[in-house]
Amino acid sequence: MTEILVLGSTGKTGSRVAPRLQALGHTVRSASRTAAGPGAVRFDWADPVTWDPALAGVQAVYFVPTETLGLPERAAFVDRAKAAGVQRIVQLSVRGIDADGGVPDTESAVRASGLEWTMLRPCWFSQDFDAPDFFLAEVRGGALATPAGDGREPFIDADDIADAAVAALTGAGHAGKVYELSGPRALTFAEALALIGEATGRELVHRHRDPVAYAADLVGAGYSAADAEAIAAFMDGIGRGEDDYLSTGVQECLGRAPRPFEEYVRETAATGVWKV
């Protein structure tokens, strides 16, 4: 079996990837800034001293860079991974990032590494609606304000991303593949909230928020200015219709259809997370 480093092991996808790998019998090194528990290792992008201990002895890496991680840092990490004997890297990227037809700068270090690589490019996550660091408080409050307007987004379930990551980390036939991942249909934020409202017996509304004001809101909530501006820009793109299309990466990678948003809502509502 393989020893695999999972970066962002406490995040929406990493927290799902690690237990799936363990269930298959692989040794998992779960990396985060607040590492705790068996197999956990401290890893901090801002502290390169933590990189080499995390990489030592692993054969594959689930590579989850922050959106604002610099290109030199990405390249330095990939170089260290290669020097440590890593053979395979699966990178969590972003859907639509290659709109100009070229290789995105944020993927170039991995794709030029000479290692086996796979790119996962998801759109916005279904789980953003129950994430404490994202939409949860506003959903509980009954109103969500974003720059997305009436734009549609085919929300992808984080479980589908995790399944794709595990397949690419452990299976054959995924080297050199780019999987763009989406759910089975596109929804406006108002439609998504209406489905959550039906499941919880509440009336939830979506309101438009200017991108500049939205970025300021995020900064006030604790986001860095760079992250806030990036998120606001992505949201504004949804409002302009840039994400209103479906992708087939789940089908290509896993041979099955992606999980519908309604299924996510039904299961999440049953946990009581949206109760007020």
Side-chain angles (χ1 to χ4, degrees):
M1 289 296 177
T2 304
E3 185 159 355
I4 302 172
L5 173 64
V6 176
L7 300 183
S9 62
T10 59
K12 293 187 189 77
T13 63
S15 63
R16 290 168 164 82
V17 170
R20 282 167 164 79
L21 291 171
Q22 290 168 334
L24 293 173
H26 299 284
T27 301
V28 176
R29 194 170 297 178
S30 298
S32 69
R33 286 180 296 176
T34 56
V41 59
R42 183 173 176 271
F43 184 92
D44 189 342
W45 284 116
D47 184 6
V49 171
T50 65
W51 299 2
D52 290 336
L55 287 164
V58 304
Q59 292 81 51
V61 176
Y62 182 49
F63 179 44
V64 185
T66 62
E67 290 182 0
T68 54
L69 185 68
L71 300 183
E73 289 79 12
R74 292 170 188 252
F77 176 81
V78 172
D79 287 344
R80 291 197 192 185
K82 192 171 182 178
V86 169
Q87 301 163 16
R88 181 177 296 190
I89 297 182
V90 176
Q91 179 175 341
L92 184 67
S93 187
V94 180
R95 194 178 78 139
I97 200 170
D98 61 343
D100 61 0
V103 174
D105 288 341
T106 54
E107 296 178 358
S108 60
V110 170
R111 294 174 69 162
S113 66
L115 303 175
E116 293 184 12
W117 60 264
T118 306
M119 291 294 158
L120 304 181
R121 294 178 176 172
C123 58
W124 285 76
F125 297 4
S126 299
Q127 281 73 12
D128 289 333
F129 288 92
D130 69 274
D133 61 344
F134 224 63
F135 299 147
L136 178 58
E138 290 179 278
V139 173
R140 282 177 172 167
L144 174 62
T146 79
D150 293 327
R152 305 177 92 83
E153 176 71 25
F155 299 100
I156 177 73
D157 196 290
D159 284 327
D160 287 338
I161 302 170
D163 286 344
V166 170
L169 286 164
T170 64
H174 301 288
K177 296 291 183 66
V178 176
Y179 295 119
E180 296 219 344
L181 309 173
S182 84
R185 72 182 180 110
L187 300 166
T188 66
F189 274 78
E191 290 169 336
L193 289 169
L195 290 169
I196 296 172
E198 289 174 14
T200 57
R202 302 175 59 215
E203 183 177 352
L204 306 177
V205 298
H206 179 249
R207 296 172 181 152
H208 181 72
R209 185 72 165 151
D210 174 82
V212 174
Y214 185 70
D217 293 341
L218 294 176
V219 171
Y223 286 79
S224 70
D227 284 344
E229 290 173 5
I231 293 169
F234 282 130
M235 283 284 189
D236 190 43
I238 294 174
R240 295 195 303 270
E242 293 176 2
D243 256 13
D244 191 3
Y245 63 96
L246 303 182
S247 297
T248 58
V250 173
Q251 294 91 324
E252 294 163 7
C253 181
L254 301 174
R256 62 165 176 80
R259 191 179 185 212
F261 189 78
E262 290 86 347
E263 184 176 328
Y264 154 74
V265 169
R266 184 167 56 251
E267 293 184 3
T268 305
T271 70
V273 69
W274 288 315
K275 287 184 178 178
V276 293

